[in-house]
Amino acid sequence: MKKTFIPLITLLPVGILAYMYNLISLLLLVAIALSLAVLLVAGVVKAFHSNLSARWWRVPCMITAVCVAGVIIGLFRPLEPAVVHSGDASDKLAHAYKTDQADRMTIKAYLSMLNDSMAKRDSIRLEQVTLLYKESQISKPIDKFHAAFIFHHSKKSTLFETAQKLAGEAASVSELKDNYVVQWLAKATYDRWMVSLGKAQKYGTQDKFSVSVE
């Protein structure tokens, strides 16, 4: 009875945290991977030592079960709207950037079969930011940074060029000179633009990614 009660008690806070915070689900995946690694090692040891303690199996299995349940609970957490339509351009860009970053820490957004998939939400953000750019509503340095991040997560070479232009302008102003993310983005957008054109990257910021050149 006690052995069953412990995981049930543990599941309550884990489930609550997974539902409230996106990062928890990612941490739970790490815990699952570590538990499975322990089980694998235990299996190897078991092959040579038949008297291996049952705790080597019971504890990792319990942790795995609790973490899997936590991840599943986390999938029921609703995502914020990808964009907002109220407020000025700065408000819209700040929200788009916030959800762009939050989505990339949320397991749910990576599940393509769901309506809230990353690709769909990226498309919604890109559509709004492109409209703001065409209407010349992106002028503040921090707005340019937020917009550049959205363009940076597109799939088109022309938009990478736009991202590099905006990120470079944001990184050049004195108020953002010491902002690491802003300075990194200026380099990353340049590299991504170059790679999309079949050229060598300069700063070594890019892994492989798909792109269409237009």
Side-chain angles (χ1 to χ4, degrees):
M1 179 66 179
K2 183 179 179 181
K3 294 178 181 178
T4 304
F5 190 64
I6 292 176
L8 290 177
I9 290 297
T10 307
L11 178 58
L12 181 60
V14 169
I16 292 174
L17 290 172
Y19 186 83
M20 292 179 62
Y21 303 104
N22 294 329
L23 183 59
I24 298 300
S25 292
L26 295 179
L27 294 177
L28 291 177
L29 286 180
V30 173
I32 291 171
L34 291 175
S35 296
L36 293 177
V38 171
L39 287 172
L40 179 61
V41 172
V44 174
V45 174
K46 178 69 173 179
F48 297 96
H49 300 280
S50 58
N51 61 341
L52 185 68
S53 172
R55 184 176 299 178
W56 281 91
W57 305 98
R58 186 172 63 249
V59 174
C61 286
M62 182 185 72
I63 293 174
T64 300
V66 170
C67 290
V68 168
V71 170
I72 293 174
I73 292 172
L75 294 178
F76 288 94
R77 182 177 188 268
L79 299 177
E80 282 192 79
V83 299
V84 292
H85 299 286
S86 59
D88 58 17
S90 294
D91 295 329
K92 294 174 182 177
L93 290 166
H95 181 86
Y97 170 74
K98 175 186 174 184
T99 59
D100 174 275
Q101 296 300 285
D103 283 0
R104 282 161 173 78
M105 298 179 65
T106 306
I107 296 174
K108 184 176 181 178
Y110 288 94
L111 301 178
S112 58
M113 73 286 296
L114 297 180
N115 191 46
D116 287 330
S117 68
M118 184 89 71
K120 183 173 182 179
R121 288 169 64 82
D122 278 349
S123 177
I124 293 172
R125 283 186 285 262
L126 186 59
E127 182 179 357
Q128 184 185 63
V129 175
T130 299
L131 180 61
L132 292 173
Y133 181 72
K134 289 181 177 179
E135 294 178 347
S136 301
Q137 295 190 49
I138 305 175
S139 57
K140 298 177 183 178
I142 193 63
D143 289 350
K144 292 180 179 180
F145 164 71
H146 289 155
F149 232 113
I150 305 304
F151 285 128
H152 173 249
H153 286 148
S154 67
K155 297 292 183 181
K156 298 180 180 178
S157 180
T158 53
L159 296 181
F160 296 148
E161 181 180 6
T162 301
Q164 201 286 315
K165 175 179 178 295
L166 292 172
E169 291 174 356
S172 66
V173 300
S174 58
E175 62 192 88
L176 297 176
K177 281 286 188 181
D178 296 324
N179 188 309
Y180 170 79
V181 181
V182 173
Q183 298 303 318
W184 171 85
L185 185 63
K187 298 175 182 178
T189 50
Y190 180 83
D191 278 352
R192 180 158 290 198
W193 177 33
M194 289 297 101
V195 173
S196 73
L197 296 175
K199 299 180 181 180
Q201 55 181 312
K202 180 178 180 180
Y203 302 103
T205 62
Q206 300 302 295
D207 294 320
K208 293 181 179 180
F209 64 96
S210 60
V211 59
S212 61
V213 180
E214 293 188 357

